[in-house]
Amino acid sequence: AQSVTQLDSQVPVFEEAPVELRCNYSSSVSVYLFWYVQYPNQGLQLLLKYLSGSTLVESINGFEAEFNKSQTSFHLRKPSVHISDTAEYFCAVSEPGGSQGNLIFGKGTKLSVKP
Amino acid sequence: GAGVSQSPSNKVTEKGKDVELRCDPISGHTALYWYRQSLGQGLEFLIYFQGNSAPDKSGLPSDRFSAERTGGSVSTLTIQRTQQEDSAVYLCASSLDRGSYNEQFFGPGTRLTVL
């Protein structure tokens, strides 16, 4: 069965500092990988996804994530964070060709950016 | 265009009462998902609808939970004889079809509090 582990429940950082939010998954098959973001009092939004091809994927607001098959990881990084990046970030997987397409989520990491 | 909408946004009920939560997916989306977001537990898949096919109920936590989708559009999640452990945010998502590569668009959720 698939599972997702987000090792850090909370990550406090100062503005303009780099950040890495860790995500590891376990699956016996190949997977699609996603990062969703939930800003305060808002719904979940897709941040970026890996389906195939280049293992490095980027979002429009400067985040990037790299799929590492050998380490079964999909860590999210940003070289310089802003106050507006304060949110909860969820890593998720789904199974290509799966009958449902439902997402398996990690427990989330709360990123708190301080001035 | 309009996103996924859910109602009510907040629901407070007494233990033992039944509740109904509503989801309006994005027009044209054939796949619809319900998830539950509990404090410290992340997001948990509940049920999945694809077009007019029988729903996949494998994620429902007990037989007190049921859901239907009328006309391939609006969905209602019903919780009978609510318990305090049912308190959570219930999220609905829709996607173009069941392919696991498809982005799921989430509604704002219904926060259920069982007293």
Side-chain angles (χ1 to χ4, degrees):
Chain A
Q2 298 168 349
S3 66
V4 177
T5 301
Q6 292 183 247
L7 292 169
D8 306 302
S9 60
Q10 297 189 50
V11 173
V13 295
F14 287 105
E15 193 173 20
E16 298 184 3
V19 71
E20 178 180 81
L21 307 183
R22 294 179 292 171
C23 173
N24 289 86
Y25 68 92
S26 65
S27 176
S28 60
V29 298
S30 58
V31 295
Y32 295 142
L33 294 156
F34 306 81
W35 275 99
Y36 279 81
V37 59
Q38 188 173 32
Y39 296 105
N41 301 313
Q42 295 187 29
L44 280 164
Q45 305 171 34
L46 180 66
L47 186 61
L48 46 76
K49 64 182 178 182
Y50 169 79
L51 302 181
S52 65
S54 173
T55 58
L56 184 66
V57 291
E58 300 177 348
S59 71
I60 59 173
N61 59 351
F63 281 94
E64 64 179 30
E66 186 163 18
F67 169 54
N68 187 319
K69 187 175 182 179
S70 63
Q71 297 185 4
T72 60
S73 68
F74 191 55
H75 301 330
L76 182 69
R77 303 183 183 94
K78 189 170 184 178
S80 176
V81 294
H82 302 289
I83 299 286
S84 59
D85 292 325
T86 294
E88 190 161 16
Y89 293 80
F90 293 90
C91 182
V93 303
S94 68
E95 179 181 333
S99 60
Q100 300 167 312
N102 63 288
L103 295 164
I104 306 298
F105 284 91
K107 293 187 177 183
T109 297
K110 291 185 178 178
L111 175 64
S112 176
V113 182
K114 306 177 186 303
Chain B
V4 178
S5 61
Q6 293 185 245
S7 61
S9 56
N10 282 282
K11 176 72 176 177
V12 180
T13 190
E14 294 179 347
K15 178 181 174 182
K17 300 279 189 179
D18 298 351
V19 295
E20 285 189 353
L21 312 179
R22 177 188 168 103
C23 171
D24 281 271
I26 293 173
S27 177
H29 282 193
T30 62
L32 187 148
Y33 305 82
W34 283 97
Y35 295 87
R36 179 168 68 175
Q37 186 177 16
S38 304
L39 193 62
Q41 296 298 314
L43 286 95
E44 171 191 15
F45 164 72
L46 297 177
I47 188 170
Y48 157 74
F49 295 89
Q50 171 60 43
N52 296 319
S53 302
D56 186 313
K57 307 177 182 179
S58 59
L60 294 178
S62 79
D63 58 8
R64 295 186 295 103
F65 288 72
S66 63
E68 62 178 22
R69 188 179 185 191
T70 54
S73 181
V74 172
S75 177
T76 302
L77 177 69
T78 301
I79 309 174
Q80 296 178 311
R81 306 182 302 281
T82 52
Q83 303 295 312
Q84 289 183 332
E85 61 263 30
D86 298 335
S87 294
V89 177
Y90 289 82
L91 295 171
C92 175
S94 70
S95 66
L96 274 174
D97 62 36
R98 71 177 186 181
S100 53
Y101 52 83
N102 281 308
E103 178 180 354
Q104 293 185 22
F105 294 82
F106 283 81
T110 293
R111 182 175 297 277
L112 174 66
T113 303
V114 182
L115 302 177

